Amino acid sequence: MATKKEEPQSMIDTFREFKEMKNIDRTTLVSVLEESFRNVLAKIFGSDENFDVIVNPDKGDFEIYRNRIVVPDGEVEDENKQISLSDAQQIEPDYEVDEEVSERVDFTKFGRRAILNLRQTLASKILELEHDSLYNKYKDRVGQIVSGEVYQMWKREVLVVDDENNELILPKSEQIPNDQYRKGETIRAVIHQVTNENNNPKIILSRTSPVFLQRLLEAEVPEINDGLISIKKIARMPGERAKIAVESYDDRIDPVGACVGVKGSRVHGIVRELNNENIDVINYTANTKLFIQRALSPAQVSSLNVDEENHKAEVFLKPEEVSLAIGRGGLNIKLASMLTEYTIDVFREVSEDDADEDIYLDEFSDEIDQWIIDSIKAIGLDTAKSVLNAPREMLVEKADLEEETVDHVLDVLRAEFEA
């Protein structure tokens, strides 16, 4: 068991270990140790003004001296700052009145309470320094990729530690669906947010942010770092699919080809990192109509109407192109809308002959409830063929109808024309 004399020494050793781990500079280290000792001295003696505290963190030792003025015997008014002549001469016979006596203080003689107080003060200062160090390290790094080791996994977040053992948080909401983590493995993420409420810094990571995909692409495509290619916009459905619009500032460089690489070599690693997230790269253009057409690839658009004021677009395609435009689960059209920032409605092209043979929805009121007909008409579809030519997903979402209801309506309308 450590003796009382060993306890302050062990505290210095502990702080030295902290310094080596957190890279605290020597000046700050000395200042914190001195402040901690002075804090305890002030509590014991009422003031620390007349004390000299000498700390040598490199050697792990410290010295404390109390300075008192010699006064005639019987005239001591402040025992902390004054010493009687007879007491001073017991230390050194040559002392005279008004001289200063500097006497080394054995801190361990103040008892366990003083030592505990010192430890608590040190621990508080160390924690404060640790928080400051963490916040200062990351506060200007939002948007950068960081690597860390998975330390602990919980239901709502994963705890990651960096190379200096700092704790970083990857919330569930910022994890790619179906990501699987194992303790001890290294993962990459982008620094999403850095907060410091009540001097309690939190470093929030993200793997779902478009910025994460952007940084991965920048690392793989030298032309982006060289300023020859610019990433204009990114839309992501994490773990599923992403669309990226790129632009070249050099006519000799194909931005899509440069980003994809020969046989997809430049995106393969990114796809694996993002849990097999499919990545579509398209050429950016300021021409809204052309940009919407490109965003809907691989579908080929026949024609479209754009309402720039309300950011809406009506897109017309051949029947065989509609499913490509919408994509599995509506993914393609959702990403195209996110990328272009336009609400996109897809319609099948209808020939004039077909239009002549059309029937108004109201004529089906004996088979379809009127409120359902009214809901469909409210989104601009008032004939049977306009409904049949509209994507099923659009009827569900825009008309706010149950899938079973939409399927019933489509069955009734199809049966009419088949008959």
Side-chain angles (χ1 to χ4, degrees), residues 186-394:
T186 299
I187 65 169
R188 288 194 291 173
V190 73
I191 300 169
H192 183 56
Q193 186 180 20
V194 178
T195 62
N196 192 31
E197 293 182 12
N198 301 319
N199 196 32
N200 183 27
K202 286 187 178 181
I203 316 303
I204 309 299
L205 306 180
S206 175
R207 285 173 53 81
T208 62
S209 167
V211 178
F212 184 45
L213 174 53
Q214 179 178 339
R215 295 291 177 260
L216 291 173
L217 198 61
E218 289 170 351
E220 290 290 336
V221 184
E223 291 87 345
I224 296 177
N225 279 328
D226 293 341
L228 300 175
I229 294 176
S230 172
I231 299 174
K232 303 297 288 186
K233 290 188 177 183
I234 293 179
R236 282 186 73 190
M237 298 294 284
E240 294 285 342
R241 194 170 176 182
K243 286 182 180 286
I244 305 170
V246 294
E247 184 177 33
S248 173
Y249 297 119
D250 188 329
D251 293 338
R252 297 168 297 178
I253 297 176
D254 169 23
V256 174
C259 291
V260 174
V262 180
K263 295 182 179 179
S265 57
R266 287 181 170 176
V267 296
H268 278 165
I270 299 175
V271 169
R272 286 194 299 272
E273 176 71 50
L274 301 181
N275 205 356
N276 294 321
E277 184 174 312
N278 291 320
I279 298 174
D280 299 335
V281 184
I282 66 171
N283 277 305
Y284 174 79
T285 175
N287 183 318
T288 302
K289 286 189 174 182
L290 183 55
F291 190 37
I292 292 172
Q293 288 182 32
R294 291 174 177 175
L296 284 169
S297 63
Q300 297 295 315
V301 175
S302 298
S303 63
L304 70 160
N305 300 320
V306 173
D307 179 355
E308 294 188 355
E309 184 178 348
N310 297 306
H311 273 233
K312 292 183 177 181
E314 292 180 340
V315 178
F316 298 89
L317 308 100
K318 293 179 180 179
E320 63 270 20
E321 296 290 329
V322 172
S323 60
L324 286 175
I326 295 172
R328 181 171 56 86
L331 204 58
N332 195 60
I333 194 169
K334 286 178 183 176
L335 286 170
S337 293
M338 290 166 63
L339 193 71
T340 61
E341 297 179 3
Y342 269 72
T343 300
I344 301 173
D345 292 330
V346 173
F347 299 94
R348 292 177 179 85
E349 287 186 312
V350 182
S351 68
E352 290 185 10
D353 291 339
D354 288 340
D356 291 340
E357 298 173 2
D358 211 346
I359 304 171
Y360 284 106
L361 283 182
D362 288 323
E363 296 186 30
F364 293 89
S365 58
D366 57 335
E367 297 179 81
I368 303 172
D369 291 342
Q370 189 61 45
W371 70 270
I372 297 175
I373 293 174
D374 292 340
S375 296
I376 297 174
K377 288 170 65 177
I379 64 171
L381 306 175
D382 57 5
T383 67
K385 286 192 174 178
S386 67
V387 175
L388 289 172
N389 288 326
R392 176 178 177 275
E393 291 81 0
M394 190 182 94

